[in-house]
């Protein structure tokens, strides 16, 4: 019969396995059992504290702020000399105050931020030195806007209002899953997360070419937050969407949501560069964005990944009324489309993020076969080479923010798809940008 110390070691080893698979709750439980059997082993306490810490970080990322706060307090209590835990606790307390403040002032069924906005009577001063925008988007305006953004300038707030309102109307009328074909004389470029890294997006356009009648684009969510130029990217993508509504596509990502924007920088950036109304207009537009794009009946492009139920089909996505649910919440089809991730092991497992789940190669294989797809294309995660083909090539991740947040030495990537529907992967490096740090810490300090 095993001794108490041997049984404790077994629980510790099982806890390590749970920790490695991001099952923080199981890891905490197993380390606690090890401590109960052998309270004199310091490693068990430190392992449990790390499990609490990792779970707290996961809760923070998905804005379960109260749960995160509880775990950080536990870590600080059990490891009072852990400076990182103390710092995270202080940040988490700010998040809790901020989230609860906005929940307290939110009004259900509030009128649109566009209500009462009289664009016709809004005057652009004579000293505005940029190209003027009329009732339709033009290539000339976009070219001028690009140069202004490169030089640290803004466009007039009237034009911001016009762009966001026009695009909200366009995308609201699109299907939850847009279905498109690539013409014989055209190509489609699929881009992943850009996260406010405007100058890296300019490098992507330099390498791949600007959107045109024959060069379609699809941006697969998470174009705002974290980086310092989220408004510039959002306005640029929206301007192209207004100019080319039938050949420029935008999917919603998990960062095109209110709670994420309030914590990870976009709301604060909108208010600093323009005003609160601009953020509210963008928020309404994000809720109207499609959740997926079906390319040639071969590739399903969506931000996160697949589903907790094998019975989900493309028809279920088609039928999903995204307008009835402005924010994705913590469960359901919309949440899974925005939040899930692939894993190498078969089956499904707990999410390392703490929301959604992870899906294995067998899940991807069944989904593709049941729906007649060659592969799914998703984003949502950093890949060191900018992209990765997983699950026997049926799950493809593309990430377009090189040197993510100025701290990860990853490349960016994009995918070209021609009329033959063959995938061509392109990698690119980050380029220099003005010395402005990512905005997450600024957003946390706003309250």
């Amino acid at each position: 019969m095993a001794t108490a110390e041997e049984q404790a070691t077994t629980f510790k080893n099982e806890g390590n396995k749970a920790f490695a698979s991001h099952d923080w709750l199981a890891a905490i439980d197993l380390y606690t059992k090890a401590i109960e059997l052998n309270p004199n082993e310091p490693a068990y306490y430190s392992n449990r504290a790390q499990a609490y810490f990792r779970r707290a970080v996961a809760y923070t990322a998905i804005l379960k702020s109260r749960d995160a706060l509880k775990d950080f307090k536990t870590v600080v209590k059990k490891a009072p000399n852990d400076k990182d835990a103390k710092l995270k606790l202080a940040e988490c307390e700010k998040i809790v105050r901020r989230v609860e403040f906005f929940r307290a002032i939110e009004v259900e069924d509030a009128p649109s931020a566009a209500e009462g906005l009289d664009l016709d009577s809004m005057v652009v001063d004579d000293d505005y030195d940029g190209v003027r925008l009329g009732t339709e988007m033009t290539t000339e305006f976009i070219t001028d806007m690009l140069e202004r953004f490169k030089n640290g300038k803004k466009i007039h707030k009237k034009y911001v209002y016009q762009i966001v309102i026009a695009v909200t109307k366009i995308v609201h009328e699109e299907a939850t899953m847009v279905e498109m074909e690539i013409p014989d004389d055209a190509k489609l470029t699929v881009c992943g997360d850009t996260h406010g890294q405007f100058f890296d997006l300019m490098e992507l356009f330099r390498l791949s070419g600007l959107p045109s009648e024959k060069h379609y684009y699809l941006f697969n969510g998470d174009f705002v937050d974290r980086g310092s130029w989220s408004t510039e990217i959002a306005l640029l993508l929206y301007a192209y969407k207004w100019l080319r509504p039938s050949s420029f596509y935008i999917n919603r990502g998990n960062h095109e949501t209110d709670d994420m924007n309030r914590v990870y920088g976009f709301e604060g950036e909108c208010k600093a560069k323009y005003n609160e109304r601009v953020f509210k207009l963008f928020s309404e537009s994000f809720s109207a964005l499609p959740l997926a794009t079906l390319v040639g009946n071969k590739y399903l492009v969506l931000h996160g990944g697949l589903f907790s139920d094998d019975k989900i089909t493309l028809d279920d996505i088609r039928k999903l009324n995204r307008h009835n649910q402005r924010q994705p919440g913590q469960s359901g089809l919309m949440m899974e489309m925005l939040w899930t991730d692939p894993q190498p092991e078969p089956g499904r497992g707990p999410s390392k993020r703490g929301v959604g789940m992870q899906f294995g190669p067998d899940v991807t294989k069944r989904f593709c076969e049941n729906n007649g797809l060659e592969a799914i294309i998703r984003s949502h995660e950093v890949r060191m080479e900018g992209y990765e083909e997983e699950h026997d090539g049926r799950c493809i991740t593309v990430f377009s923010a090189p040197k993510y947040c100025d701290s990860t030495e990853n490349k960016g990537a994009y995918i070209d798809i021609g009329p033959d529907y063959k995938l061509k992967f392109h990698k690119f490096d980050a380029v220099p940008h003005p010395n402005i740090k990512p905005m997450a810490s600024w957003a946390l300090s706003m309250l």
Side-chain angles (χ1 to χ4, degrees), residues 148-153 194-201 223-236 265-266 269 273 406 431-439 442:
R148 296 182 70 80
F149 289 166
K150 288 178 185 177
N151 294 314
K153 294 183 177 181
T194 54
H195 273 304
Q197 296 184 198
F198 174 77
F199 292 89
D200 295 319
L201 176 58
F223 46 92
V224 300
D225 278 343
R226 298 191 187 275
S228 300
W229 296 273
S230 291
T231 55
E232 286 81 359
I233 286 185
L235 288 168
L236 177 60
F266 184 59
E269 184 180 341
K273 293 179 179 178
D406 290 341
V431 295
H433 61 71
N435 188 24
I436 302 174
K437 294 181 180 180
M439 285 189 170
W442 174 32

Side-chain angles (χ1 to χ4, degrees), residues 147-323:
E147 288 304 311
R148 296 182 70 80
F149 289 166
K150 288 178 185 177
N151 294 314
K153 294 183 177 181
K154 298 180 290 184
I155 60 173
H156 195 276
K157 66 180 179 181
K158 175 180 179 178
Y159 301 150
V160 176
Y161 296 150
Q162 282 183 267
I163 292 168
V164 182
I165 291 170
V167 172
T168 301
K169 292 176 182 177
I170 292 170
V171 298
H172 188 278
E173 296 305 312
E174 291 184 321
T176 295
M177 182 179 72
V178 173
E179 303 183 46
M180 58 86 63
E181 304 278 340
I182 302 173
D184 290 341
D185 57 350
K187 74 171 180 178
L188 170 70
T189 297
V190 180
C191 305
D193 304 31
T194 54
H195 273 304
Q197 296 184 198
F198 174 77
F199 292 89
D200 295 319
L201 176 58
M202 292 303 94
E203 175 69 0
L204 188 158
F205 280 149
R206 185 187 71 82
L207 295 169
S208 183
L210 291 170
S212 68
E213 290 182 1
K214 304 300 182 183
H215 191 169
Y216 293 18
Y217 269 89
L218 167 56
F219 281 82
N220 195 29
D222 279 16
F223 46 92
V224 300
D225 278 343
R226 298 191 187 275
S228 300
W229 296 273
S230 291
T231 55
E232 286 81 359
I233 286 185
L235 288 168
L236 177 60
L237 299 190
Y238 276 25
Y240 273 121
K241 180 64 181 176
W242 189 5
L243 180 68
R244 307 188 185 282
S246 299
S247 61
F248 194 93
Y249 305 95
I250 307 172
N251 287 342
R252 188 179 189 178
N254 66 300
H255 274 267
E256 280 72 55
T257 55
D258 285 356
D259 283 348
M260 301 300 279
N261 296 159
R262 286 168 178 161
V263 173
Y264 293 103
F266 184 59
E267 182 194 37
E269 184 180 341
C270 286
K271 290 179 178 179
K273 293 179 179 178
Y274 295 102
N275 55 39
E276 184 176 6
R277 178 172 241 161
V278 167
F279 172 68
K280 290 182 177 179
L281 287 170
F282 268 121
S283 171
E284 292 175 19
S285 75
F286 292 165
S287 298
L289 287 171
L291 301 178
T293 302
L294 182 63
V295 179
N297 292 309
K298 293 179 179 292
Y299 304 105
L300 177 66
V301 185
L302 73 172
H303 183 72
L306 295 181
F307 311 100
S308 56
D309 187 345
D310 277 340
K311 295 178 181 178
I312 297 298
T313 67
L314 295 180
D315 278 340
D316 292 303
I317 302 175
R318 289 185 180 102
K319 295 173 186 175
L320 178 62
N321 187 345
R322 68 191 188 281
H323 303 305

Side-chain angles (χ1 to χ4, degrees), residues 333-350:
L333 200 62
M334 182 189 294
M335 180 277 294
E336 292 182 345
M337 293 176 72
L338 299 182
W339 278 97
T340 60
D341 297 295
Q343 65 180 21
E345 301 83 8
R348 294 176 172 89

